[in-house]
Coordinates of all heavy atoms in Angstrom, one line a residue:
Chain D
E8 N -153.6 35.1 12.2 CA -154.1 34.0 11.4 C -155.5 33.6 12.0 O -155.9 32.5 11.9 CB -153.2 32.8 11.4 CG -151.9 33.1 10.6 CD -151.2 31.9 10.3 OE1 -151.6 30.8 10.5 OE2 -150.1 32.0 9.8
R32 N -157.4 31.2 -6.3 CA -157.0 30.7 -7.7 C -157.8 29.5 -8.2 O -158.1 29.4 -9.3 CB -155.6 30.3 -7.6 CG -154.9 29.8 -8.9 CD -153.5 29.5 -8.9 NE -153.2 28.5 -7.9 CZ -152.0 28.1 -7.7 NH1 -150.9 28.7 -8.2 NH2 -151.8 27.1 -6.8
Q62 N -154.3 30.4 2.9 CA -152.9 31.0 2.6 C -152.2 30.1 1.5 O -152.7 29.0 1.2 CB -152.1 30.9 3.9 CG -152.5 31.8 5.0 CD -151.6 31.8 6.2 OE1 -150.4 32.0 6.0 NE2 -152.2 31.5 7.3
F63 N -151.2 30.8 1.0 CA -150.4 30.1 -0.1 C -151.3 29.8 -1.4 O -151.0 28.8 -2.1 CB -149.8 28.9 0.3 CG -148.7 29.3 1.4 CD1 -149.0 28.9 2.8 CD2 -147.4 29.8 1.1 CE1 -148.1 29.3 3.8 CE2 -146.6 30.1 2.2 CZ -146.9 29.9 3.5
Q88 N -150.4 34.9 3.0 CA -149.3 34.5 3.9 C -148.4 35.7 4.1 O -147.6 35.7 5.1 CB -148.6 33.3 3.5 CG -147.7 33.4 2.3 CD -148.5 33.2 1.0 OE1 -149.8 33.0 1.0 NE2 -147.9 33.3 -0.2
Y117 N -149.6 33.1 18.8 CA -149.5 32.8 17.3 C -149.5 31.2 17.3 O -148.7 30.6 18.0 CB -148.3 33.4 16.7 CG -148.3 33.2 15.2 CD1 -149.2 33.9 14.3 CD2 -147.3 32.4 14.6 CE1 -149.2 33.8 13.0 CE2 -147.3 32.3 13.2 CZ -148.2 32.9 12.3 OH -148.1 32.8 11.0
K119 N -148.2 29.1 15.2 CA -147.0 28.5 14.7 C -145.8 29.3 15.2 O -145.2 30.2 14.5 CB -146.9 28.4 13.2 CG -148.0 27.5 12.6 CD -148.5 27.9 11.3 CE -149.8 27.2 10.9 NZ -150.5 27.8 9.8
K121 N -142.7 28.5 15.6 CA -141.5 28.3 14.9 C -141.3 29.2 13.7 O -140.3 29.4 13.1 CB -141.3 26.9 14.5 CG -142.3 26.4 13.4 CD -142.0 25.1 12.8 CE -143.0 24.8 11.7 NZ -142.7 23.6 11.0
K168 N -138.8 34.6 7.4 CA -138.7 34.4 5.9 C -139.0 32.9 5.5 O -139.2 32.7 4.4 CB -137.3 34.7 5.5 CG -136.2 33.9 6.1 CD -134.8 34.4 5.5 CE -133.7 33.6 6.3 NZ -132.4 34.1 5.8
Y169 N -139.0 32.0 6.5 CA -139.3 30.6 6.2 C -140.7 30.3 6.1 O -141.1 29.2 5.7 CB -138.5 29.7 7.2 CG -137.1 29.9 7.2 CD1 -136.5 30.4 8.4 CD2 -136.3 29.5 6.2 CE1 -135.1 30.6 8.5 CE2 -134.9 29.7 6.2 CZ -134.3 30.3 7.3 OH -133.0 30.5 7.4
C170 N -141.6 31.3 6.5 CA -143.0 31.0 6.5 C -143.8 32.1 5.7 O -145.0 32.0 5.7 CB -143.6 30.9 7.9 SG -142.9 29.5 8.9
G171 N -143.1 33.1 5.2 CA -143.8 34.2 4.6 C -142.9 35.3 4.3 O -141.7 35.3 4.6
R172 N -143.4 36.4 3.6 CA -142.7 37.5 3.2 C -143.2 38.8 3.8 O -143.2 39.9 3.2 CB -142.6 37.7 1.7 CG -141.7 36.6 1.0 CD -141.7 36.7 -0.5 NE -143.0 36.5 -1.0 CZ -143.4 36.7 -2.3 NH1 -142.4 37.3 -3.1 NH2 -144.6 36.5 -2.8
Chain J
R27 N -135.6 25.1 4.3 CA -134.9 26.3 4.8 C -133.8 26.7 3.8 O -133.5 27.8 3.5 CB -134.4 26.0 6.2 CG -135.5 26.1 7.2 CD -135.0 25.9 8.6 NE -136.1 26.2 9.6 CZ -136.1 27.2 10.4 NH1 -135.0 28.1 10.4 NH2 -137.1 27.5 11.2
I30 N -135.0 28.1 0.6 CA -135.6 29.5 0.8 C -134.4 30.4 0.9 O -134.5 31.6 0.3 CB -136.4 29.5 2.1 CG1 -137.8 28.8 1.8 CG2 -136.7 30.9 2.6 CD1 -138.6 28.6 3.1
R31 N -133.3 30.1 1.6 CA -132.2 31.0 1.7 C -131.6 31.2 0.4 O -131.3 32.4 0.0 CB -131.2 30.4 2.7 CG -131.5 30.7 4.1 CD -130.2 30.4 5.0 NE -129.7 29.1 4.9 CZ -130.1 28.1 5.8 NH1 -131.0 28.3 6.7 NH2 -129.7 26.8 5.7
K34 N -134.0 33.5 -1.8 CA -134.0 34.9 -1.3 C -132.7 35.6 -1.7 O -132.7 36.8 -2.0 CB -134.2 35.0 0.1 CG -135.7 34.7 0.6 CD -135.8 35.0 2.1 CE -136.2 36.5 2.3 NZ -137.4 36.9 1.9
P62 N -150.3 23.3 -9.7 CA -150.2 22.6 -8.5 C -150.0 21.1 -8.7 O -150.7 20.5 -9.6 CB -151.5 22.8 -7.8 CG -152.1 24.1 -8.4 CD -151.6 24.2 -9.7
N125 N -140.1 33.7 -6.9 CA -141.2 33.9 -5.9 C -142.1 32.6 -5.8 O -142.7 32.3 -4.7 CB -142.1 35.1 -6.2 CG -141.4 36.3 -5.7 OD1 -140.9 36.4 -4.6 ND2 -141.4 37.4 -6.5
L128 N -140.2 30.3 -3.7 CA -140.2 30.7 -2.3 C -141.6 30.3 -1.7 O -141.6 29.8 -0.5 CB -140.1 32.2 -2.3 CG -139.6 32.8 -1.0 CD1 -138.2 32.3 -0.7 CD2 -139.5 34.4 -1.2
T129 N -142.7 30.6 -2.4 CA -144.0 30.4 -1.8 C -144.2 28.9 -1.6 O -144.9 28.5 -0.6 CB -145.1 30.9 -2.8 OG1 -144.8 32.3 -3.1 CG2 -146.4 30.9 -2.2
Y131 N -142.2 26.5 -0.9 CA -141.4 25.9 0.2 C -141.8 26.6 1.5 O -141.7 25.9 2.6 CB -139.9 26.0 0.0 CG -139.4 24.8 -1.0 CD1 -139.4 25.1 -2.4 CD2 -139.1 23.6 -0.5 CE1 -139.0 24.1 -3.2 CE2 -138.7 22.6 -1.3 CZ -138.7 22.8 -2.7 OH -138.3 21.8 -3.5
Q132 N -142.3 27.8 1.5 CA -142.8 28.4 2.7 C -144.1 27.7 3.2 O -144.3 27.5 4.4 CB -143.0 29.9 2.4 CG -141.8 30.8 2.5 CD -142.0 32.2 2.1 OE1 -143.1 32.6 1.6 NE2 -141.1 33.1 2.3
A133 N -144.8 27.4 2.2 CA -146.1 26.6 2.5 C -145.8 25.3 3.2 O -146.4 24.9 4.2 CB -146.9 26.4 1.3
N135 N -143.0 24.7 5.0 CA -142.5 24.9 6.3 C -143.6 25.2 7.3 O -143.5 24.9 8.5 CB -141.6 26.2 6.2 CG -140.1 25.7 6.0 OD1 -139.8 24.5 6.3 ND2 -139.3 26.6 5.7
K136 N -144.6 25.9 6.8 CA -145.7 26.3 7.7 C -146.6 25.1 8.0 O -147.2 24.9 8.9 CB -146.5 27.5 7.1 CG -146.9 28.5 8.1 CD -147.4 29.8 7.4 CE -147.8 30.8 8.5 NZ -148.2 32.0 7.9

Side-chain angles (χ1 to χ4, degrees):
Chain D
E8 293 191 12
R32 180 180 62 184
Q62 295 184 53
F63 298 102
Q88 68 275 6
Y117 187 72
K119 294 147 193 168
K121 65 168 186 174
K168 62 183 178 183
Y169 300 113
C170 298
R172 289 180 294 170
Chain J
R27 286 183 168 246
I30 287 169
R31 278 198 296 271
K34 284 190 84 72
N125 278 317
L128 203 62
T129 306
Y131 282 89
Q132 282 173 348
N135 265 347
K136 215 167 182 177

